[in-house]
Amino acid sequence: MTSGAFAVASSDEGHSQGGGLFSTDPTLRADFGYKSDHLLAQAAKVLIKTYYGQAATHSYFDGCSQGGHQALTEAQRYPTDFDGIIAGAPANNFTALNTFSHAWTAQSVYLNGGPATITNADLAALHEAVLKGCGAPADGIIADPLSCTWDPATIKCAAGQTSTSADYCLTADQVTTLRRIYAGPTDENGELLYPGYQLRGSELNWAGIITPATATGASGDISFVRETIRYQIFNSPQPTLTYKDIKFTAAYYKKVMALGEGMYDATDPDLKAFKAADGKLILWHGLGDQHIPAVGTMAYYKAVQKVMGGAASTESFARLFLLPGVAHCGGGQGPNTFDALTAMADWVTKGQAPSSLTTKSVDSSGNTTATRPVYPFPYIAENTTGGPADEAGSYTPVKSTAEAGLKLNWLGSFRSGYETVGNWVDGKWVVSKGKV
């Protein structure tokens, strides 16, 4: 609810159907890739001025997942559209994410194309083993999962041992699956093909996405890959391709990443124009995200810091907040409700940059059952007072050496100038490089 303080607009990104078939139309591909929200912003501003007799005082964008992708597209390509942008769990590295990251987890779970080695039934016991291995506190929330390097082989079944709910252990194939999921997609030289991987402690959120209900069932990752490689990445439809057809080699990676030429991606770390327009950016990501690994957003933010002149220069207009235990765009085990819009409005209108955000757990009756602060990257909330784990006042900011020192050996790169612009010219769709 906005209590009348905001006029709200949204779009369907140029299509109403599910799946990726719409991308076979080049106009709809461009609408989805980068145009729709820019055109929406232009139209909304005209309507607001006409209806209210005056222009909107400020404009904000708030989106998560694909909405987070759109948010970063706006900051990178159209830096004057919005005064404040909130980008949650952004799917901004779209091509590599939907091709290589999701296919890697699918091929890891369905080893050699066989039945699933890990199913939803495994997740509770597996998660408990991870919490124990990572030394998690009693509330079961790992504040800094990057710092945990627990190896699944530590609970590998001994010869003749059978896994039970009381004595959970992993088969050799399950160990292989989990090691691959925690490591992320790599080529033949060990270089990541997507700058991220599943963090330890996210296991309870994998159900239906990374793991299926039964060994012969299908996971969500399979469908994500299928729609992307059949209709979105290649220059013509490839309706028979499946996750099994993805090759994790440097040559295949370069081939795939060159096809879209950045049409779907929003990975440019150069936000100088957005900063010059006095724009403000709040990035946030749940550390238990089962769809889009939070490490990818950390990697992008560190690339922004490098281009923008360091941490202090970046924090003057852009801050990243990481939510422990929170799944994709909400849910999960950690406090996942927070008010980023008020924080953004205060930053834009009062110059008050958010030094923290207070997250809450809210039950079905609307009652707050726990609160916890989250601090700007690379700081984490640590209970240094010994107070109740479910009260925000028990926590203080502590710099994470794991987050601050994050380095990724990634085959790709965050770079400027990859953007593409498509238009109809003499009856043909022509794509040229360059920012919009």
Side-chain angles (χ1 to χ4, degrees):
M1 300 295 290
T2 66
S3 302
F6 294 89
V8 181
S10 63
S11 82
D12 61 5
E13 299 181 277
H15 67 277
S16 57
Q17 69 190 79
L21 186 61
F22 71 89
S23 286
T24 57
D25 182 317
T27 304
L28 298 185
R29 177 183 291 211
D31 285 343
F32 175 77
Y34 62 86
K35 289 176 63 176
S36 60
D37 289 290
H38 172 59
L39 298 177
L40 173 68
Q42 291 180 316
K45 289 177 181 180
V46 171
L47 288 172
I48 289 168
K49 186 174 182 179
T50 300
Y51 184 83
Y52 291 100
Q54 65 182 56
T57 306
H58 296 289
S59 56
Y60 303 94
F61 188 100
D62 186 0
C64 191
S65 192
Q66 175 57 26
H69 175 189
Q70 296 163 247
L72 290 180
T73 297
E74 283 292 313
Q76 295 168 22
R77 294 183 187 249
Y78 309 103
T80 61
D81 276 0
F82 296 97
D83 301 301
I85 292 176
I86 302 167
N92 60 308
N93 204 343
F94 182 92
T95 306
L97 171 71
N98 280 4
T99 305
F100 294 99
S101 181
H102 288 312
W104 179 266
T105 52
Q107 289 192 24
S108 298
V109 169
Y110 301 91
L111 281 178
N112 302 315
T117 59
I118 300 286
T119 68
N120 297 351
D122 290 286
L123 300 182
L126 171 62
H127 183 66
E128 286 300 316
V130 172
L131 294 182
K132 181 178 179 181
C134 293
D139 64 1
I141 299 173
I142 302 173
D144 190 12
L146 268 183
S147 65
C148 179
T149 58
W150 174 80
D151 184 359
T154 60
I155 59 168
K156 182 179 178 180
C157 299
Q161 182 182 5
T162 300
S163 180
T164 66
S165 57
D167 187 18
Y168 184 72
C169 65
L170 300 171
T171 66
D173 281 349
Q174 289 177 321
V175 170
T176 298
T177 291
L178 292 169
R179 280 178 167 174
R180 285 169 56 93
I181 290 174
Y182 294 135
T186 55
D187 69 2
E188 67 274 26
N189 300 312
E191 289 192 284
L192 284 167
L193 302 179
Y194 174 80
Y197 39 82
Q198 280 297 317
L199 292 168
R200 290 160 177 81
S202 63
E203 299 79 21
L204 286 181
N205 305 324
W206 294 0
I209 304 302
I210 294 176
T211 58
T214 64
T216 56
S219 69
D221 278 341
I222 289 177
S223 62
F224 295 139
V225 178
R226 181 186 64 235
E227 296 301 303
T228 298
I229 63 176
R230 287 185 176 182
Y231 306 116
Q232 295 187 286
I233 298 303
F234 295 100
N235 295 325
S236 61
Q238 307 288 323
T240 64
L241 293 182
T242 74
Y243 76 96
K244 299 177 183 179
D245 294 301
I246 301 300
K247 300 176 181 64
F248 298 97
T249 65
Y252 188 78
Y253 175 84
K254 292 174 182 177
K255 172 186 174 181
V256 168
M257 296 304 290
L259 289 171
E261 296 184 317
M263 176 69 76
Y264 298 113
D265 297 328
T267 53
D268 189 342
D270 186 349
L271 301 181
K272 294 187 183 72
F274 182 67
K275 182 179 181 180
D278 206 25
K280 301 294 185 287
L281 172 65
I282 289 178
L283 276 162
W284 69 270
H285 211 130
L287 290 170
D289 195 318
Q290 71 278 37
H291 282 278
I292 304 172
V295 179
T297 300
M298 297 182 216
Y300 172 71
Y301 187 73
K302 287 179 75 70
V304 172
Q305 289 179 322
K306 183 177 181 179
V307 172
M308 300 303 296
S313 177
T314 301
E315 287 183 354
S316 67
F317 79 100
R319 300 190 175 194
L320 167 62
F321 296 88
L322 300 170
L323 283 60
V326 174
H328 186 61
C329 293
Q333 298 73 56
N336 63 85
T337 300
F338 61 101
D339 183 3
L341 183 57
T342 297
M344 176 57 76
D346 287 344
W347 199 359
V348 168
T349 62
K350 303 175 184 178
Q352 298 176 356
S355 58
S356 67
L357 297 175
T358 299
T359 61
K360 303 177 181 180
S361 292
V362 181
D363 64 20
S364 59
S365 299
N367 300 312
T368 297
T369 58
T371 58
R372 180 186 293 247
V374 288
Y375 299 103
F377 178 93
Y379 287 85
I380 63 171
E382 188 171 299
N383 188 341
T384 56
T385 68
D390 57 1
E391 293 183 8
S394 301
Y395 296 86
T396 57
V398 175
K399 190 173 185 178
S400 164
T401 56
E403 291 179 9
L406 175 66
K407 294 181 180 179
L408 293 171
N409 186 30
W410 178 36
L411 190 62
S413 65
F414 295 107
R415 67 196 190 283
S416 302
Y418 67 86
E419 294 91 342
T420 59
V421 183
N423 289 291
W424 288 102
V425 179
D426 297 328
K428 295 182 179 180
W429 184 258
V430 178
V431 175
S432 59
K433 289 188 177 182
K435 286 190 176 183
V436 177

